[in-house]
Amino acid sequence: GSSSAFTVSLLHALHGLKGVMISKHELAKKAIHIEQNILRENVGSQDQVATALGGFNKIKFASDGRFDIHPITIKSERLQEFKKHLMLVFTGFSRNASEIAGEQIKKTPQKAEELTKMHKMVDQAIDILDSQKDITDFGKLLHESWLLKRSLTERVSTPKIDQIYETARGAGAIGGKLLGAGGGGFMIFFVKPENRGSIKRSLTEFLEVPFDFEDLGSQIIFYSPNKI
């Protein structure tokens, strides 16, 4: 989602420079328009919305380009428990996400069953997080979703990425997935806190990246209007 985060941030900064206040919803819409219609990139719409708004949301997209935001309220204790089970790792591999996404678009008509299953997992994931169910069920669901995602096209994963994933699983990760279109970038793993050390030792050549959840989305953090 780095390209969409950059687009959203640049747009927000330019509006701020002109002294124009723009809503988060409109900011996301403009970023989507620039990436999809002006730059003609093969990108989705979820990253722009997530970056602009921040927080935990269920986003419903319509075929005409409209989208609705449904905030998900998760208790802070549960959210912290969730965060303790996540590890973000940089694979060190760069890739052209647009090319990989383009391949996925071509094969979408043939992957209706897989995509339907992934769609249904959204509500399952929300139900796990917004309840007292065993949180490791989320990790199992993440594993299932990764198997489905990597089946969409041969370019989603690579032998090296598969090796990283299997190594992490062998060291105690319950599930995980490659973030973004695929082919490289970052991987997220769902790991019990007591197994984090084992994962780090098994993936010593890769960088674990500290992260936090963002509730506010894109913000203008410094604004100083020109004085006349």
Side-chain angles (χ1 to χ4, degrees):
S2 55
S3 60
S4 296
F6 175 82
T7 306
V8 167
S9 300
L10 179 60
L11 270 174
H12 208 170
L14 291 174
H15 279 81
L17 185 65
K18 293 170 65 177
V20 176
M21 296 293 291
I22 183 172
S23 72
K24 300 291 186 74
H25 197 278
E26 189 64 24
L27 184 61
K29 282 176 60 178
K30 286 192 174 186
I32 292 168
H33 172 67
I34 287 174
E35 291 195 78
Q36 294 182 358
N37 303 321
I38 296 179
L39 299 179
R40 301 287 183 181
E41 291 285 321
N42 294 310
V43 297
S45 304
Q46 68 280 358
D47 292 339
Q48 300 90 333
V49 178
T51 303
L53 277 84
F56 277 79
N57 304 293
K58 179 179 179 180
I59 310 166
K60 289 187 175 182
F61 295 95
S63 57
D64 61 3
R66 291 180 300 165
F67 55 87
D68 294 316
I69 310 298
H70 302 269
I72 301 167
T73 55
I74 304 173
K75 292 181 179 179
S76 59
E77 297 84 2
R78 184 69 164 178
L79 209 54
Q80 287 305 310
E81 182 186 12
F82 181 47
K83 181 185 172 184
K84 289 177 182 177
H85 282 77
L86 298 176
M87 289 184 68
L88 184 65
V89 175
F90 181 51
T91 66
F93 313 133
S94 60
R95 76 279 190 264
N96 187 316
S98 180
E99 291 180 3
I100 297 171
E103 186 70 20
Q104 290 184 29
I105 292 169
K106 291 178 185 176
K107 295 194 175 182
T108 291
Q110 308 164 31
K111 299 293 182 177
E113 182 179 351
E114 290 87 345
L115 292 168
T116 299
K117 287 180 180 178
M118 292 172 73
H119 181 267
K120 290 180 178 179
M121 286 179 173
V122 174
D123 286 331
Q124 294 177 45
I126 293 171
D127 182 56
I128 293 168
L129 292 178
D130 197 21
S131 70
Q132 294 302 313
K133 292 182 178 179
D134 187 346
I135 201 164
T136 59
D137 288 345
F138 189 97
K140 297 171 185 175
L141 195 66
L142 199 60
H143 174 65
E144 292 178 33
S145 74
W146 168 239
L147 296 181
L148 286 169
K149 179 174 178 175
R150 71 182 302 281
S151 72
L152 296 179
T153 82
E154 294 178 353
R155 298 190 65 181
V156 167
S157 190
T158 66
K160 185 63 176 177
I161 289 169
D162 287 341
Q163 182 183 354
I164 295 171
Y165 188 76
E166 291 307 318
T167 298
R169 287 263 293 169
I174 298 171
K177 71 187 292 286
L178 193 66
L179 301 179
F186 291 82
M187 298 188 79
I188 193 92
F189 294 109
F190 192 94
V191 184
K192 288 183 178 180
E194 61 266 29
N195 291 332
R196 292 181 72 93
S198 176
I199 302 292
K200 292 182 75 169
R201 288 190 294 272
S202 68
L203 298 176
T204 52
E205 60 183 296
F206 302 103
L207 177 68
E208 181 188 0
V209 181
F211 74 94
D212 205 347
F213 297 132
E214 170 56 53
D215 294 325
L216 300 177
S218 179
Q219 303 173 70
I220 300 295
I221 59 174
F222 178 77
Y223 174 66
S224 179
N226 292 327
K227 295 180 180 180
I228 300 176

